[in-house]
Amino acid sequence: MNKREIAEIKRRFKKESCTFTRVCGCYVNSDKAKVVTFRNTFLNLEDEELHKYLEIANKTLSGKPGNSLLELPFPMEAEEEGGAQALLMELRSSQLKDDEVLNRFYDRVIETYDKVENYLILLFHDAYDVPMKTTDNLSLDDSEEVYEYIMCAICPVDLSKPGLGYNENENRIGTLDRDWVVGAPESGFTFPCFTERSTDIHAVMVYTKDAKQPHTEFWENGLGCKAIHTSTQKKMAFTSILGEALGDPEDEDVRDTMLDVQQGLSDFIEIQAETQDKDEPVILNREELSPILENSGIDEPVAERIADKFDAYFEENLPEADELLDAKSLKDNGLRMEKKELEKQVVQLNHKLEEAGLVNVDGSEVNVIVKVPDDRVATVRATFVDGQRCIVIPLEGDEETTVNGEKKVF
């Protein structure tokens, strides 16, 4: 599922356009016991409750594809009879009307989802009559197919914060009763995928709120799919590989080298983008990484160790180059290059001042005759400002400056 296909489904998560048929749920406590289960016709819900459920559904398809949203294909064994995919197919075909199937799914989540606090398992069923589209992407009234799918959201349930409030019954200010409140989903999935605007039962779109530590145990044991790394995990791993090979990241030389690598990645993406299709990802492999490391001044043995670890981590799933980019590092590198350019300009300015005779090589003062009404003599001198040696020229108005009998223009 790409961004456009995800957006097409999400656009319908509004009361006026929503076609959810049913919402079901199971509240699980910290002892992994089912506290309560429910099954409701979606459009019969009170408005406020309906909108809260729509917010949860919307969040379960939110985030950046490849990071918060990941498409996981089912391996062959998961699609065999009795495999993990079978239960999802049963949920979809039953339209969430079969309590026995629902309870088997809740049990699977409880067994495979690693969480010690209370949480709520929510399931939605929908049937989307997919409109046909012309070649210029205009929708027609005719339908191509019905995309029938289920969506699952796993939400934390926490006690509300303690506080003071008005107690109407006792007509006084006192402590508020604390309630168990359902939070935004931390994990979820949509099955089947909506690929090329059509049903794809061979993959599931998973959602994670925490891209650093997603619930991969549920992806593998609950859904039967092989977990893949999020973009955040890939970037963290790449930074760690560089740090282990180069040394202390607090060392200025190490830090500069890592910034050079980030700039090299950025330049590589820019060059590749000129030769590839707009939507084609720029993949980074060992052959492309090696010259980036070399151009960053990394010695060959160290670069080889980095490349070896890169191969080991990304063996089955090569990263897109922009997944490894660190926006903060690129910004820091830009500031570093600006500082270097300013230092270069200061050196060049000092050299020009020496050539003009405004300062001696040893930094001693030079007398300058300034043509002002009183024909006074001003002195150009070297001094320190904020720890930096500066040239001070005390001029007033639009004045000409003469040095050793020669007119100077600044």
Side-chain angles (χ1 to χ4, degrees):
M1 292 174 68
N2 57 33
K3 289 182 179 179
R4 181 176 295 179
E5 292 155 354
I6 292 169
E8 182 174 348
I9 299 300
K10 286 182 63 178
R11 275 196 296 270
R12 304 170 55 260
F13 295 169
K14 301 179 179 64
K15 182 182 178 181
E16 59 274 12
S17 52
C18 175
T19 56
F20 283 137
T21 62
R22 205 160 278 98
V23 59
C24 305
C26 176
Y27 176 37
V28 183
N29 66 17
S30 57
D31 294 325
K32 293 186 175 295
K34 299 176 188 174
V35 178
V36 64
T37 61
F38 59 89
R39 177 159 53 89
N40 296 319
T41 300
F42 193 79
L43 294 179
N44 287 347
L45 298 171
E46 296 292 333
D47 271 6
E48 188 173 348
E49 190 175 355
L50 181 145
H51 285 296
K52 291 297 181 184
Y53 281 125
L54 285 176
E55 286 179 12
I56 291 173
N58 185 75
K59 194 66 180 176
T60 311
L61 266 181
S62 297
K64 183 180 179 181
N67 199 41
S68 294
L69 291 172
L70 296 165
E71 186 170 322
L72 305 181
F74 288 104
M76 291 290 292
E77 58 271 20
E79 295 192 6
E80 294 174 355
E81 186 176 351
Q85 185 208 44
L87 181 53
L88 302 182
M89 295 289 284
E90 283 187 77
L91 283 171
R92 187 181 71 134
S93 61
S94 70
Q95 300 181 349
L96 306 184
K97 296 177 182 178
D98 190 325
D99 287 334
E100 189 273 331
V101 176
L102 285 168
N103 276 298
R104 279 198 284 127
F105 175 75
Y106 298 148
D107 289 339
R108 179 182 290 182
V109 175
I110 293 169
E111 291 169 5
T112 59
Y113 194 72
D114 186 12
K115 186 174 178 65
V116 295
E117 296 89 359
N118 300 0
Y119 61 91
L120 174 66
I121 307 168
L122 284 177
L123 280 168
F124 303 85
H125 172 268
D126 190 16
Y128 172 37
D129 202 10
V130 184
M132 293 179 64
K133 287 194 175 183
T134 61
T135 53
D136 53 359
N137 212 34
L138 295 176
S139 295
L140 302 175
D141 291 335
D142 295 335
S143 173
E144 290 183 302
E145 69 168 278
V146 174
Y147 168 55
E148 186 177 9
Y149 66 98
I150 55 170
M151 176 181 288
C152 173
I154 302 177
C155 308
V157 180
D158 299 308
L159 273 174
S160 59
K161 294 181 180 179
L164 294 174
Y166 174 64
N167 188 317
E168 189 174 2
N169 294 330
E170 300 179 10
N171 192 31
R172 71 180 185 88
I173 300 296
T175 55
L176 295 171
D177 291 335
R178 299 178 68 187
D179 295 319
W180 290 99
V181 179
V182 177
E186 60 182 22
S187 294
F189 67 84
T190 302
F191 171 81
C193 280
F194 185 57
T195 304
E196 296 182 355
R197 305 188 69 244
S198 184
T199 302
D200 178 10
I201 65 170
H202 304 294
V204 57
M205 176 67 80
V206 295
Y207 164 79
T208 178
K209 181 179 180 181
D210 185 356
K212 292 182 179 179
Q213 293 182 313
H215 283 271
T216 54
E217 80 288 345
F218 176 63
W219 298 352
E220 295 190 339
N221 302 318
L223 300 177
C225 299
K226 184 174 177 59
I228 60 177
H229 302 300
T230 67
S231 295
T232 297
Q233 289 177 314
K234 293 175 184 178
K235 181 165 61 179
M236 291 171 59
F238 185 65
T239 301
S240 176
I241 289 170
L242 288 176
E244 290 175 2
L246 297 175
D248 185 4
E250 297 300 319
D251 182 89
E252 186 174 353
D253 290 338
V254 172
R255 190 164 59 249
D256 285 350
T257 300
M258 294 182 75
L259 292 178
D260 287 335
V261 172
Q262 283 291 317
Q263 187 60 53
L265 275 174
S266 180
D267 295 341
F268 167 70
I269 293 171
E270 190 173 326
I271 293 170
Q272 291 297 112
E274 294 176 356
T275 61
Q276 296 184 184
D277 293 337
K278 182 180 178 181
D279 296 329
E280 185 180 355
V282 178
I283 304 299
L284 185 70
N285 56 33
R286 183 188 184 111
E287 289 69 29
E288 304 288 2
L289 175 63
S290 294
I292 293 174
L293 299 176
E294 181 182 344
N295 293 335
S296 301
I298 299 176
D299 293 337
E300 186 176 346
V302 178
E304 283 296 313
R305 289 203 298 274
I306 293 173
D308 288 342
K309 290 184 177 180
F310 176 90
D311 277 348
Y313 186 85
F314 297 107
E315 180 180 8
E316 297 182 4
N317 185 20
L318 286 173
E320 296 181 22
D322 62 358
E323 292 180 302
L324 308 184
L325 282 181
D326 187 323
K328 183 178 183 302
S329 294
L330 288 175
K331 182 179 179 181
D332 290 344
N333 190 56
L335 294 173
R336 179 177 67 122
M337 299 310 294
E338 287 179 11
K339 181 181 177 182
K340 283 187 175 182
E341 181 60 27
L342 287 173
E343 290 173 348
K344 179 181 177 181
Q345 292 179 14
V346 168
V347 171
Q348 292 173 345
L349 178 58
N350 280 334
H351 181 64
K352 289 180 179 180
L353 289 172
E354 290 173 4
E355 289 181 342
L358 290 179
V359 61
N360 293 325
V361 176
D362 61 3
S364 60
E365 296 179 351
V366 176
N367 288 335
V368 177
I369 300 173
V370 180
K371 290 185 178 180
V372 292
D374 59 0
D375 287 331
R376 67 182 176 82
V377 175
T379 301
V380 175
R381 67 185 186 279
T383 188
F384 283 88
V385 178
D386 294 333
Q388 300 293 319
R389 192 166 73 85
C390 302
I391 304 300
V392 179
I393 307 176
L395 301 178
E396 296 179 0
D398 296 329
E399 302 150 346
E400 284 184 343
T401 301
T402 303
V403 180
N404 299 331
E406 295 183 13
K407 191 179 292 183
K408 302 291 181 182
V409 180
F410 304 98

